[in-house]
Amino acid sequence: MTTPSTVHGQYPRVYLVRHGTTEWSQNGRHTGLTDIPLLPIGVEQAGLLSSRIFENPHQDMVHIDNITLVLVSPLKRAQQTYEQLRTGGLTKQLHDGTAPSCFTRTQARTTSLLAEWDYGDYEGVTTKEILKTRPNWSLFGDNAPGGETVEQVAARADAIIELIHNYQRGLDSQGNPTHTLKMPFTELETQTNNRDANTPVTDEGSLAAEYKTVVTIPEEKGRRDVLVVAHGHFLRVFAARWLKEDGLHGKNLVLDTASVSVLGYEHTLEERVIKVWNQSNHLWK
């Protein structure tokens, strides 16, 4: 490893990964809650992200052995992208063969709070088509009829950011030291998880359901990096809220498919910053 870059320091990081290419993202169609899979090129992109960034010992942007929490959207395109990372170098043994890489020791959680923006009536419609009838329309400024507002998307992002911030500080929402945190879920997921948690633990499935409602904070502060695998517009709002800006500022943060970005801190754990944005050099051939 060369001299550490400015991406790294004494504070933990958050890696944002947008899923690979789908048929609709390739055609410019708004893809919100429609659960379509990656194209073969999207799977290939996710594989390149794994091999050239996450598995690459010669880069200094992502330190996989410091990642101890993975948060993933339930939509198929995000799950497939994460699967490429998980089954790529992230579960292989380290180069000396002595220990597995971080993702065999990492907590992975799926929550619908990370789903893409609900585009309502504009689901499956391209921006070009929308502008024919609404010439000045902007998703961030005008939202989507029958879908979510930017404020609603920002509220979902805030719930995940609170979890991550508390996880990296080792504190609960009241500012008290803690070793565990409750996972944020949508209301429906919370109801389901509560039923699971109240079920007597008589088999492995019940135990897994109860366990996944919480995350455990590592004692070692240097191993509290978080990976988030989700969607373009949601992650743009997420980044704006990470900076404590209005979700509308996400309109200025373009995010490509299969890209990786790095969020973190400067000076203190209360000063949140963007360290790397929309890195996609790994996709060059």
PDB file of all heavy atoms in Angstrom, residues 162 165-166 169-178 181 270:
ATOM      1  N   GLU A 162     -29.014   8.612  10.510  1.00  0.00           N
ATOM      2  CA  GLU A 162     -28.963   8.592  11.972  1.00  0.00           C
ATOM      3  C   GLU A 162     -28.364   7.281  12.471  1.00  0.00           C
ATOM      4  O   GLU A 162     -27.521   7.268  13.376  1.00  0.00           O
ATOM      5  CB  GLU A 162     -30.356   8.787  12.561  1.00  0.00           C
ATOM      6  CG  GLU A 162     -30.354   8.788  14.094  1.00  0.00           C
ATOM      7  CD  GLU A 162     -31.733   8.966  14.691  1.00  0.00           C
ATOM      8  OE1 GLU A 162     -32.729   8.882  13.942  1.00  0.00           O
ATOM      9  OE2 GLU A 162     -31.819   9.172  15.918  1.00  0.00           O
ATOM     10  N   HIS A 165     -24.555   7.341  11.611  1.00  0.00           N
ATOM     11  CA  HIS A 165     -23.824   8.307  12.443  1.00  0.00           C
ATOM     12  C   HIS A 165     -23.675   7.781  13.868  1.00  0.00           C
ATOM     13  O   HIS A 165     -22.597   7.856  14.476  1.00  0.00           O
ATOM     14  CB  HIS A 165     -24.556   9.649  12.432  1.00  0.00           C
ATOM     15  CG  HIS A 165     -23.757  10.779  12.981  1.00  0.00           C
ATOM     16  ND1 HIS A 165     -24.326  11.875  13.598  1.00  0.00           N
ATOM     17  CD2 HIS A 165     -22.417  10.997  13.018  1.00  0.00           C
ATOM     18  CE1 HIS A 165     -23.387  12.707  13.979  1.00  0.00           C
ATOM     19  NE2 HIS A 165     -22.215  12.198  13.652  1.00  0.00           N
ATOM     20  N   ASN A 166     -24.757   7.219  14.408  1.00  0.00           N
ATOM     21  CA  ASN A 166     -24.692   6.658  15.761  1.00  0.00           C
ATOM     22  C   ASN A 166     -23.766   5.447  15.805  1.00  0.00           C
ATOM     23  O   ASN A 166     -23.001   5.263  16.765  1.00  0.00           O
ATOM     24  CB  ASN A 166     -26.088   6.284  16.250  1.00  0.00           C
ATOM     25  CG  ASN A 166     -26.940   7.505  16.545  1.00  0.00           C
ATOM     26  OD1 ASN A 166     -26.423   8.606  16.747  1.00  0.00           O
ATOM     27  ND2 ASN A 166     -28.251   7.330  16.560  1.00  0.00           N
ATOM     28  N   ARG A 169     -20.211   6.623  15.828  1.00  0.00           N
ATOM     29  CA  ARG A 169     -19.840   7.288  17.080  1.00  0.00           C
ATOM     30  C   ARG A 169     -19.893   6.331  18.273  1.00  0.00           C
ATOM     31  O   ARG A 169     -19.330   6.626  19.328  1.00  0.00           O
ATOM     32  CB  ARG A 169     -20.780   8.464  17.353  1.00  0.00           C
ATOM     33  CG  ARG A 169     -20.674   9.607  16.359  1.00  0.00           C
ATOM     34  CD  ARG A 169     -21.559  10.762  16.775  1.00  0.00           C
ATOM     35  NE  ARG A 169     -22.964  10.348  16.889  1.00  0.00           N
ATOM     36  CZ  ARG A 169     -23.892  11.070  17.506  1.00  0.00           C
ATOM     37  NH1 ARG A 169     -23.584  12.222  18.081  1.00  0.00           N
ATOM     38  NH2 ARG A 169     -25.139  10.637  17.561  1.00  0.00           N
ATOM     39  N   GLY A 170     -20.615   5.215  18.120  1.00  0.00           N
ATOM     40  CA  GLY A 170     -20.788   4.303  19.239  1.00  0.00           C
ATOM     41  C   GLY A 170     -21.767   4.832  20.266  1.00  0.00           C
ATOM     42  O   GLY A 170     -21.655   4.544  21.456  1.00  0.00           O
ATOM     43  N   LEU A 171     -22.769   5.582  19.789  1.00  0.00           N
ATOM     44  CA  LEU A 171     -23.742   6.203  20.681  1.00  0.00           C
ATOM     45  C   LEU A 171     -25.161   5.872  20.240  1.00  0.00           C
ATOM     46  O   LEU A 171     -25.403   5.613  19.058  1.00  0.00           O
ATOM     47  CB  LEU A 171     -23.572   7.729  20.679  1.00  0.00           C
ATOM     48  CG  LEU A 171     -22.200   8.287  21.044  1.00  0.00           C
ATOM     49  CD1 LEU A 171     -22.187   9.803  20.864  1.00  0.00           C
ATOM     50  CD2 LEU A 171     -21.832   7.908  22.473  1.00  0.00           C
ATOM     51  N   ASP A 172     -26.107   5.917  21.199  1.00  0.00           N
ATOM     52  CA  ASP A 172     -27.503   5.776  20.823  1.00  0.00           C
ATOM     53  C   ASP A 172     -28.074   7.147  20.478  1.00  0.00           C
ATOM     54  O   ASP A 172     -27.349   8.157  20.479  1.00  0.00           O
ATOM     55  CB  ASP A 172     -28.310   5.085  21.939  1.00  0.00           C
ATOM     56  CG  ASP A 172     -28.323   5.879  23.247  1.00  0.00           C
ATOM     57  OD1 ASP A 172     -28.064   7.110  23.222  1.00  0.00           O
ATOM     58  OD2 ASP A 172     -28.606   5.284  24.293  1.00  0.00           O
ATOM     59  N   SER A 173     -29.354   7.208  20.185  1.00  0.00           N
ATOM     60  CA  SER A 173     -29.970   8.463  19.750  1.00  0.00           C
ATOM     61  C   SER A 173     -29.998   9.526  20.843  1.00  0.00           C
ATOM     62  O   SER A 173     -30.166  10.711  20.551  1.00  0.00           O
ATOM     63  CB  SER A 173     -31.400   8.203  19.246  1.00  0.00           C
ATOM     64  OG  SER A 173     -31.374   7.378  18.107  1.00  0.00           O
ATOM     65  N   GLN A 174     -29.815   9.103  22.090  1.00  0.00           N
ATOM     66  CA  GLN A 174     -29.755  10.054  23.202  1.00  0.00           C
ATOM     67  C   GLN A 174     -28.326  10.468  23.536  1.00  0.00           C
ATOM     68  O   GLN A 174     -28.088  11.219  24.482  1.00  0.00           O
ATOM     69  CB  GLN A 174     -30.415   9.462  24.456  1.00  0.00           C
ATOM     70  CG  GLN A 174     -31.945   9.388  24.394  1.00  0.00           C
ATOM     71  CD  GLN A 174     -32.431   8.348  23.412  1.00  0.00           C
ATOM     72  OE1 GLN A 174     -31.967   7.198  23.431  1.00  0.00           O
ATOM     73  NE2 GLN A 174     -33.373   8.727  22.566  1.00  0.00           N
ATOM     74  N   GLY A 175     -27.374   9.944  22.755  1.00  0.00           N
ATOM     75  CA  GLY A 175     -25.977  10.313  22.980  1.00  0.00           C
ATOM     76  C   GLY A 175     -25.277   9.486  24.033  1.00  0.00           C
ATOM     77  O   GLY A 175     -24.182   9.840  24.485  1.00  0.00           O
ATOM     78  N   ASN A 176     -25.863   8.351  24.408  1.00  0.00           N
ATOM     79  CA  ASN A 176     -25.258   7.477  25.406  1.00  0.00           C
ATOM     80  C   ASN A 176     -24.455   6.367  24.739  1.00  0.00           C
ATOM     81  O   ASN A 176     -24.879   5.829  23.714  1.00  0.00           O
ATOM     82  CB  ASN A 176     -26.345   6.844  26.295  1.00  0.00           C
ATOM     83  CG  ASN A 176     -27.186   7.896  26.992  1.00  0.00           C
ATOM     84  OD1 ASN A 176     -26.651   8.832  27.586  1.00  0.00           O
ATOM     85  ND2 ASN A 176     -28.502   7.748  26.911  1.00  0.00           N
ATOM     86  N   PRO A 177     -23.305   5.984  25.292  1.00  0.00           N
ATOM     87  CA  PRO A 177     -22.517   4.886  24.722  1.00  0.00           C
ATOM     88  C   PRO A 177     -23.340   3.599  24.649  1.00  0.00           C
ATOM     89  O   PRO A 177     -24.106   3.286  25.559  1.00  0.00           O
ATOM     90  CB  PRO A 177     -21.348   4.751  25.702  1.00  0.00           C
ATOM     91  CG  PRO A 177     -21.230   6.098  26.344  1.00  0.00           C
ATOM     92  CD  PRO A 177     -22.651   6.601  26.461  1.00  0.00           C
ATOM     93  N   THR A 178     -23.189   2.871  23.553  1.00  0.00           N
ATOM     94  CA  THR A 178     -23.944   1.636  23.379  1.00  0.00           C
ATOM     95  C   THR A 178     -23.163   0.683  22.488  1.00  0.00           C
ATOM     96  O   THR A 178     -22.271   1.097  21.752  1.00  0.00           O
ATOM     97  CB  THR A 178     -25.331   1.922  22.761  1.00  0.00           C
ATOM     98  OG1 THR A 178     -26.074   0.701  22.698  1.00  0.00           O
ATOM     99  CG2 THR A 178     -25.200   2.500  21.360  1.00  0.00           C
ATOM    100  N   LEU A 181     -27.575  -1.147  18.212  1.00  0.00           N
ATOM    101  CA  LEU A 181     -28.549  -0.162  17.752  1.00  0.00           C
ATOM    102  C   LEU A 181     -29.692  -0.890  17.060  1.00  0.00           C
ATOM    103  O   LEU A 181     -29.480  -1.921  16.418  1.00  0.00           O
ATOM    104  CB  LEU A 181     -27.910   0.814  16.763  1.00  0.00           C
ATOM    105  CG  LEU A 181     -26.833   1.763  17.301  1.00  0.00           C
ATOM    106  CD1 LEU A 181     -26.118   2.443  16.141  1.00  0.00           C
ATOM    107  CD2 LEU A 181     -27.451   2.799  18.238  1.00  0.00           C
ATOM    108  N   GLU A 270     -18.766  15.327  13.903  1.00  0.00           N
ATOM    109  CA  GLU A 270     -19.960  16.118  13.631  1.00  0.00           C
ATOM    110  C   GLU A 270     -19.826  16.901  12.335  1.00  0.00           C
ATOM    111  O   GLU A 270     -20.802  17.486  11.866  1.00  0.00           O
ATOM    112  CB  GLU A 270     -20.231  17.072  14.802  1.00  0.00           C
ATOM    113  CG  GLU A 270     -20.410  16.395  16.146  1.00  0.00           C
ATOM    114  CD  GLU A 270     -21.489  15.312  16.121  1.00  0.00           C
ATOM    115  OE1 GLU A 270     -22.539  15.536  15.479  1.00  0.00           O
ATOM    116  OE2 GLU A 270     -21.284  14.242  16.731  1.00  0.00           O
TER     117      GLU A 270
END
